[in-house]
Amino acid sequence: MGDDTLFVSRSQAPLRRIHLGLGTPFPEAPLPYIGTEAGLRSESNINSIVIPSNSRLIVEDVLCNIISMTSAHSAPLLRRKWMRWPSIYRLVPKMTFRYIAFFSILCLILTRTAAAQIYPDQSYVLRIDSLMSNIETNDGLVLSNDGQKLMLQPDRIDGSAIIKPQCSTSPFNWGLPSWNGTAPADSGAFKIQMRFPYGTGWSSWLTVGFWKANIWTSYGSLSSGGCTVDYDNVTFTSYVSSWQFKIIMTRKAVGVASPTIHKLSFCVSDTRTTAALDFAQILNDKPAQIFIPTTFIYQYGVDPVIGGDICSPTSVSMILRSYNIAVDPLQFARDTYDPRFSMFGIWPRVVQNASEYGLDGAVTQYRSWSQARAVLANGGRISMSVGAPLYTGHLIMLAGFNASGDPIVHDPAKSNGYSYVFKKSDLSHSWFDKGGVAYTFYPAGTHTSAGQFADREPIAQSYRLDQNYPNPFNPSTTIRFSVPQTGHVTLMVYNAIGAEVAALLSQEVAGGSHEIVWNAGNLPSGIYFYRLSAGGYVETKRLMLLK
């Protein structure tokens, strides 16, 4: 088909093909899917793109795609037909990439400023089933014999692995990394580093944490290229949408048990979200009654010396006991202590310590009481990081909600803190004004496995289909989606000519965030499309299988 050829998709929506005039196609390099509003997709031949003819192609979307393509293909001379439906604009032919990039960036800035869009919270997880397939470079790490964790080779005392770049569906300027693994007391440890886009490349590697002992001669950098590790979170001077993890392991001798890793998490958000929260809606949110009992622990009674500093490990000790897991609160607190920052409450370190006791955890964010209630109802546990007006900084276990929809907590700072009810407005501001940060836990072994889904995240506020990751992939990739309420959901995969190649889901699904791992090992390399249908909502995204 030639320029401006109309044809009909499987959904019967008329589509228009626009020739890009690039000359020879770029094989194996399809136009990246952008397209929240535009519905943009591409064929395997990068010479053409396809958009719904009744949609509006956002200038910013096209600019991003041109920058993406030209940076990957040595900046050839370009000709473009730019389209903001229904008008067509043509740039000066044979303009060099330098000028196109300048024009693109300028338009991008203007579009972003005008839109002032607040980007959604996002949570990304790499478990052991995808960690190995996402390793970019590996020096001395192997999969354990049981296939459940990443560890040092038997003959190595140190090693490292760099994970392939991961991408978010929306930009962010704040991040909460966390991880789950093990380390053998003081004779072995692992360190987690991250890096982020900077200029035309990457920032330096930043150390975001370690476990258990700091046995390295150099801790590593905490700031580079506009991003800074602020104790337990990462801040950015501008919005980014990709990152890389690096895992470093060491032990004092080959006869010592190896440290292990089986999960990396990264919860990201736009800091403007917190300021834009509707507190009238938060206060009117009245979740159904629920209560999580536990053995109460008064933090000042744990130890007279450190009692005032151990709210974080004490609240998590109560969570462990709520699962009937035996724990010594004092030893748990001592293990949590971070010698680098001289603190007991470094967020990912507390989550990691709970992993040693058999919990699957992450540092997360919540924006409503109903989100939190959904996690409790699903068997999860939450420890809330709160501030003013109740405390300057404190961690408390969310116990549930009473018949009036008011939150109940187990507050380790109060001797009568078991099943305590604060004034709802005070507790709401104390938590949500501080970003709604929390530790979220489930029993280990209940996480999503290949080919299955589970509502392991706070309940969604709307329908959403995320971009698959990794992408491109071989042979497995993870697809995440969110639905705000229980209902029938279908998730299908189609090839480039519209033929169905996989039915990933067709059943009733509970409200919340879910993920499915799709193994396309029996299919050839190429461009595929996955479509979510639920409650009248339909969205399609592109993925690429590259063998």
Side-chain angles (χ1 to χ4, degrees), residues 70-92:
T70 53
S71 63
H73 297 290
S74 304
L77 296 178
L78 302 174
R79 299 182 185 185
R80 285 291 188 275
K81 289 183 179 179
W82 292 74
M83 185 177 196
R84 189 178 180 105
W85 195 260
S87 300
I88 298 178
Y89 298 91
R90 186 186 301 272
L91 290 180
V92 177

Side-chain angles (χ1 to χ4, degrees), residues 30-46:
L31 189 65
Y33 178 89
I34 300 281
T36 51
E37 193 171 343
L40 179 67
R41 70 175 175 83
S42 74
E43 307 285 315
S44 57
N45 182 339
I46 203 168

Side-chain angles (χ1 to χ4, degrees), residues 494-521:
Y494 304 92
N495 63 19
I497 63 173
E500 181 183 307
V501 297
L504 304 183
L505 182 67
S506 181
Q507 65 184 68
E508 185 173 277
V509 172
S513 296
H514 310 267
E515 66 179 36
I516 289 180
V517 177
W518 178 44
N519 188 313

Side-chain angles (χ1 to χ4, degrees), residues 1 19 22 51 57 89 92 115 125 137 188 197 199 253-255 308 343 349 355 373 447 480 483 486 510 526:
M1 289 181 286
H19 188 75
L22 285 177
I51 64 169
L57 183 58
Y89 298 91
V92 177
V125 178
T137 60
V254 293
M343 294 175 62
R349 193 168 174 88
S355 176
R373 202 270 179 198
H447 63 263
R480 293 172 57 88
V483 293
T486 300

Side-chain angles (χ1 to χ4, degrees), residues 455-494:
D455 49 336
R456 297 297 313 285
E457 304 293 338
I459 192 166
Q461 297 299 300
S462 61
Y463 294 98
R464 189 179 78 240
L465 178 63
D466 292 345
Q467 187 62 50
N468 66 300
Y469 65 93
N471 191 40
F473 67 98
N474 178 31
S476 297
T477 189
T478 299
I479 299 172
R480 293 172 57 88
F481 65 91
S482 300
V483 293
Q485 59 193 13
T486 300
H488 192 269
V489 175
T490 61
L491 183 60
M492 304 295 182
V493 182
Y494 304 92

Side-chain angles (χ1 to χ4, degrees), residues 296-308 310 314 329-330 412-415:
F296 181 70
I297 304 171
Y298 178 48
Q299 68 183 74
Y300 293 94
V302 173
D303 185 88
V305 177
I306 64 173
I310 59 173
T314 304
L330 179 57
K414 297 180 178 295
S415 59

